[in-house]
């Protein structure tokens, strides 16, 4: 894993993923705070508020899990179903780059949003599956875990995934909201995760410590996860102050799509010549919009022909 995305625990205080330990307790955790990074991802499209919130949760979850990877590569969190949101995907790589996208039916989302509460993952996705994919690059096969979408939130879907796929007791909190500060109004997201470290002969039973950790973790409020004036250290101290919680090195997070002019040209070579001819607009160019970041690429048909050879 490269080192250039690492910073000290105190800097940055935002757009970061960091591990934490509770001294003497068989519990490990991770914390994610997203400000400008998640605002850039969610603001790239005119998402309805519930859809933006779902994508924000997926991005926070991808950073929570992905930042623990011990190899170069990517973690892809996705969920798909038969509900108003057909598909949500969040992509994290081990340099701290993030992107995400939702595909949805606007009318169906509006119909599902008539109640007083923001519709959650199950209401938006319907019956479907939750998927985590590890991509270590072209020299390795992708590994993938798939579980049914359980519960109303992505937090519960993730907890179910860890229990079913890895048999690791896990608690997850995710929060997304639009926050107004002196700098203006923008999207923010936060996430926290704790996992039980299995007991052994030296450690003995870990059940009591896990029960206490879960009870403290449940007191974590959405406002605390989102408030930019609360530093990660302060947040963890509020939760576990009597237990000597220690925040480890933070990894900086940034919104950065993987699209490029060359990638788009390469993708277009998969179409037949007559199909590409139909894509040519009045000014002689083929235009493709990246579904993740909404960047529009204008290509000359000759560029694509050259890349085929």
């Amino acid at each position: 894993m490269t080192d250039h995305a690492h910073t000290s625990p105190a800097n940055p205080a935002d757009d970061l993923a960091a591990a934490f330990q509770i001294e003497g307790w068989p519990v490990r955790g991770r914390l994610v705070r997203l400000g400008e990074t998640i605002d850039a991802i969610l603001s790239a499209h005119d998402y309805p508020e519930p859809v933006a919130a779902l994508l924000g949760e997926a991005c926070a979850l991808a950073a929570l899990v992905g930042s623990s990877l011990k190899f170069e590569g990517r973690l892809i969190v996705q969920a798909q179903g038969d509900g108003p949101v057909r598909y949500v995907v969040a992509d994290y790589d081990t340099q701290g780059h993030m992107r995400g996208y939702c595909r949805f039916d606007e009318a169906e989302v509006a119909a599902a949003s008539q109640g007083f509460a923001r519709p959650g993952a199950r209401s938006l996705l319907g019956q479907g599956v939750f998927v985590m994919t590890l991509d270590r690059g072209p020299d390795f096969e992708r590994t993938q875990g798939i579980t049914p979408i359980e519960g109303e939130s992505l937090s519960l879907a993730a907890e179910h995934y860890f229990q079913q796929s890895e048999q690791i007791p896990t608690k997850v909190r995710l929060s997304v909201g639009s926050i107004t500060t002196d700098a203006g109004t923008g999207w923010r997201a936060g996430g926290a995760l704790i996992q039980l470290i299995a007991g052994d002969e030296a450690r003995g039973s870990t059940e009591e410590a896990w029960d206490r950790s879960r009870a403290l973790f449940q007191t974590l409020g959405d406002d605390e996860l989102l408030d930019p004036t609360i530093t990660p250290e302060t947040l963890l101290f509020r939760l576990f102050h009597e237990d000597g919680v220690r925040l480890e090195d933070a990894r900086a997070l940034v919104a950065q799509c993987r699209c490029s002019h060359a990638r788009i040209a390469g993708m277009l070579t998969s179409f037949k010549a007559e199909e590409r001819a139909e894509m040519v607009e009045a000014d002689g160019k083929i235009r493709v919009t990246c579904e993740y970041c909404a960047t529009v690429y204008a290509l000359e048909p000759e560029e694509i022909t050259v890349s085929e050879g």
Side-chain angles (χ1 to χ4, degrees):
M1 191 177 289
T2 54
D3 292 325
H4 64 269
H6 283 289
T7 66
S8 70
N11 183 27
D14 212 1
D15 290 305
L16 64 89
F20 63 85
Q21 300 284 341
I22 306 171
E23 293 177 12
W25 284 53
V27 175
R28 62 191 173 202
R30 303 196 71 82
L31 179 68
V32 164
R33 306 293 295 277
L34 292 168
E36 291 181 4
T37 298
I38 199 63
D39 190 58
I41 293 171
L42 300 186
S43 298
H45 298 271
D46 187 20
Y47 290 122
E49 196 271 348
V51 176
L54 179 66
L55 178 55
E57 289 185 356
C59 288
L61 181 59
L64 274 177
V65 180
S67 58
S68 67
L69 298 179
K70 305 302 183 187
F71 54 80
E72 292 283 354
R74 293 192 297 144
L75 174 78
I76 303 158
V77 170
Q78 64 191 83
Q80 57 197 64
D82 59 6
V85 173
R86 310 295 194 249
Y87 181 79
V88 57
V89 59
D91 189 321
Y92 169 94
D93 75 25
T94 45
Q95 294 186 3
H97 301 152
M98 300 191 67
R99 64 177 187 165
Y101 174 69
C102 261
R103 184 175 295 133
F104 63 96
D105 184 288
E106 191 167 359
E108 291 181 23
V109 169
S113 305
Q114 294 300 310
F116 292 105
R118 174 200 288 169
R122 185 61 182 271
S123 297
L124 291 173
L125 290 161
Q127 297 285 338
V129 292
F130 176 83
V131 186
M132 284 199 195
T133 304
L134 291 176
D135 182 355
R136 300 184 66 175
D139 296 332
F140 299 88
E141 284 191 22
R142 285 187 170 191
T143 57
Q144 194 171 73
I146 303 174
T147 57
I149 296 172
E150 297 283 348
E152 182 58 17
S153 68
L154 276 190
S155 298
L156 291 172
E159 291 173 7
H160 179 73
Y161 171 88
F162 280 108
Q163 188 62 50
Q164 295 297 312
S165 299
E166 302 184 26
Q167 287 78 52
I168 301 175
T170 303
K171 298 300 293 183
V172 178
R173 291 294 304 275
L174 302 169
S175 183
V176 181
S178 180
I179 303 296
T180 300
T181 66
D182 292 341
T185 300
W187 287 103
R188 291 189 60 81
L193 171 154
I194 57 171
Q195 292 182 318
L196 176 65
I197 301 171
D200 54 30
E201 286 188 13
R203 190 178 288 120
S205 173
T206 58
E207 187 173 339
E208 183 179 344
W210 178 239
D211 287 344
R212 186 179 181 196
S213 299
R214 285 188 301 168
L216 291 170
F217 190 73
Q218 287 302 115
T219 67
L220 180 58
D222 288 346
D223 56 336
E224 293 177 299
L225 279 172
L226 298 181
D227 190 340
T229 68
I230 302 175
T231 67
E233 292 88 349
T234 300
L235 179 63
L236 292 174
F237 181 80
R238 287 183 179 183
L239 274 180
F240 304 110
H241 57 278
E242 71 271 30
D243 301 320
V245 64
R246 184 179 74 256
L247 187 71
E248 299 180 351
D249 279 358
R251 173 170 288 278
L253 305 176
V254 62
Q256 183 168 314
C257 194
R258 302 178 70 239
C259 68
S260 68
H261 196 95
R263 281 179 181 266
I264 297 298
M267 179 272 295
L268 287 171
T269 64
S270 65
F271 292 89
K272 296 179 181 177
E274 54 268 28
E275 292 174 322
R276 294 200 302 273
E278 294 176 0
M279 300 177 191
V280 178
E281 298 183 5
D283 63 356
K285 296 182 185 295
I286 296 176
R287 286 182 173 79
V288 177
T289 302
C290 175
E291 65 179 9
Y292 282 89
C293 67
T295 298
V296 179
Y297 291 89
L299 297 91
E300 301 286 349
E302 295 78 15
E303 295 179 67
I304 304 158
T305 303
V306 170
S307 64
E308 282 185 305

